[in-house]
Amino acid sequence: MVRSIRKLLQQWKNEGAIKFVAFSSMGERAFCAGGDIHALATQPGFAEVFFREEYHMNFEIATYPKPVVSLLKGIVMGGGVGISVHGTYRIVTEKTVFAMPETGIGLFPDVGGTHFLPNVCPGAVGMFLALTGTRLKGGDIVAAGIGTHLVPVASLAQLQHALTHQRQPAAACNLQDIISLFSASSKSNASESANPKPSATLPLQTQRPLIDKCFSLHTVPAIVRALQNCAKGEEEAEQRWAEGVLATLNKKSPTSVQLTFEALRRNGKIPLPAALNIEYRLGVRIVNRGKAGDFYEGVRATVIDKKSTPHWNLPPSTAEVEDYFAPFPKDFHVAELDL
């Protein structure tokens, strides 16, 4: 699929009749829930090829000269995030579910996620989502900066028709107007179920002060201590939230949590090509640890054996973390990305 998408994008880039590119899914259940993690975990050499081609596709979308629209129906995770988040318009519905749950399988939020999350999400929301893999729905996806428009699911087919069946193909200048006509923020098209009052029904907004308080800190241990302090606080709602987040973090790969924290901290400050190159180093090294690494263990527990408990490695030392981020040596079996 990655190769097919890149081929079409390159083909359409200079075709004057094509004014924009839109991604949608065949079914309602998922836009795209990720790539073949089983193959990544079990086929030697697959990661080097797959990650290289996938990250090139992500960069192609991010730098595409024409608007890119994604109609995000159902579940959006893994590779589906990489296809959509780098585009111009990311349209979600009240039934869209977004997450980057990679720390739960011994990986990290890749496909440019370590660059996108700290730059687009407000406050410390990006770090919170990356470390915990928390799922967002509907309006929360827009509140997090990941979605650009909330369109009622009942209006999505009409929007798609409006975008693609015009006397004149939609130009970049009026795409925004067309999408806004169907957005839940438009009073003429909003239904109460798809356009709730943000102050009452968007949990991400109510959690923001706690998220920023805990996840803006400068080390993973400091984040954990802040959550522990919140769990001992006097406010019952704050206690429940902190206890839930701690329980979630305790299920994640300690190596993945540490590498993800460092990747967001570093990659949020550099251009996307450099961030994708760092992600390539991380991905190749994580997968190449084979059965000794947390990625294989995470896939074994969740995909191969299913519903078993992963047995994670101990957290990496500072030196071990640096080794994951270091440039490939000259005699390494694969070259760095050439973006």
Side-chain angles (χ1 to χ4, degrees):
M1 183 178 74
V2 168
R3 289 174 181 167
S4 297
I5 290 174
R6 282 197 72 198
K7 182 179 179 181
L8 287 171
L9 288 173
Q10 291 167 357
Q11 176 184 326
W12 293 337
K13 186 180 295 186
N14 297 315
E15 289 192 17
I18 294 177
K19 304 300 181 183
F20 70 98
V21 173
F23 288 99
S24 185
S25 59
M26 295 294 291
E28 301 296 321
R29 183 176 178 274
F31 174 76
C32 180
D36 192 347
I37 60 172
H38 185 278
L40 281 170
T42 59
Q43 295 181 19
F46 182 68
E48 287 87 334
V49 176
F50 178 74
F51 285 144
R52 180 177 293 275
E53 296 195 19
E54 184 178 31
Y55 296 174
H56 272 278
M57 177 195 70
N58 300 146
F59 186 66
E60 182 99 41
I61 293 171
T63 57
Y64 207 63
K66 300 177 182 182
V68 177
V69 181
S70 291
L71 303 171
L72 303 175
K73 296 182 286 184
I75 298 169
V76 185
M77 298 183 187
V81 175
I83 291 171
S84 58
V85 298
H86 301 293
T88 319
Y89 301 107
R90 304 175 293 277
I91 299 162
V92 303
T93 77
E94 69 273 22
K95 294 185 178 181
T96 305
V97 178
F98 170 93
M100 299 200 80
E102 287 81 2
T103 55
I105 57 167
L107 201 58
F108 66 98
D110 66 333
V111 295
T114 62
H115 179 269
F116 180 86
L117 290 172
N119 279 298
V120 173
C121 297
V125 168
M127 185 66 77
F128 168 71
L129 296 175
L131 297 187
T132 65
T134 295
R135 294 187 175 199
L136 298 181
K137 296 181 179 180
D140 270 350
I141 304 173
V142 177
I146 296 159
T148 59
H149 296 79
L150 175 65
V151 172
V153 69
S155 301
L156 203 59
Q158 294 173 283
L159 169 61
Q160 192 164 350
H161 187 273
L163 289 171
T164 57
H165 291 76
Q166 301 183 83
R167 293 180 181 178
Q168 296 294 326
C173 59
N174 66 349
L175 275 177
Q176 171 74 39
D177 294 338
I178 295 171
I179 296 169
S180 294
L181 287 174
F182 295 88
S183 172
S185 61
S186 170
K187 293 181 181 180
S188 61
N189 289 285
S191 66
E192 290 186 5
S193 61
N195 186 29
K197 293 180 174 62
S199 60
T201 57
L202 293 185
L204 185 66
Q205 292 186 355
T206 62
Q207 293 171 6
R208 268 294 307 281
L210 289 173
I211 290 172
D212 291 349
K213 176 182 177 180
C214 297
F215 284 85
S216 61
L217 300 176
H218 301 299
T219 66
V220 171
I223 290 173
V224 172
R225 286 194 297 271
L227 289 167
Q228 290 170 339
N229 289 335
C230 286
K232 298 175 185 176
E234 296 180 358
E235 292 290 336
E236 184 178 352
E238 183 175 317
Q239 290 176 5
R240 288 200 307 270
W241 177 84
E243 288 169 355
V245 174
L246 283 169
T248 297
L249 282 176
N250 285 335
K251 296 177 182 177
K252 307 301 183 184
S253 157
T255 299
S256 289
V257 168
Q258 188 62 56
L259 293 179
T260 296
F261 175 84
E262 275 301 314
L264 265 71
R265 189 179 68 83
R266 301 180 188 204
N267 288 357
K269 303 174 183 176
I270 60 178
L272 179 61
L276 286 169
N277 191 45
I278 287 177
E279 289 189 358
Y280 187 64
R281 296 173 191 166
L282 293 174
V284 168
R285 285 176 168 137
I286 287 170
V287 174
N288 279 353
R289 293 205 65 197
K291 293 185 178 181
D294 278 0
F295 177 63
Y296 180 87
E297 177 62 13
V299 174
R300 178 204 63 76
T302 59
V303 178
I304 299 173
D305 294 347
K306 297 182 179 180
K307 296 184 179 179
S308 67
T309 302
H311 303 288
W312 303 123
N313 289 309
L314 294 173
S317 66
T318 301
E320 288 170 333
V321 169
E322 290 301 323
D323 286 343
Y324 277 98
F325 284 86
F328 292 145
K330 291 182 179 179
D331 59 350
F332 198 63
H333 69 281
V334 65
E336 306 223 332
L337 288 186
D338 52 347
L339 294 173

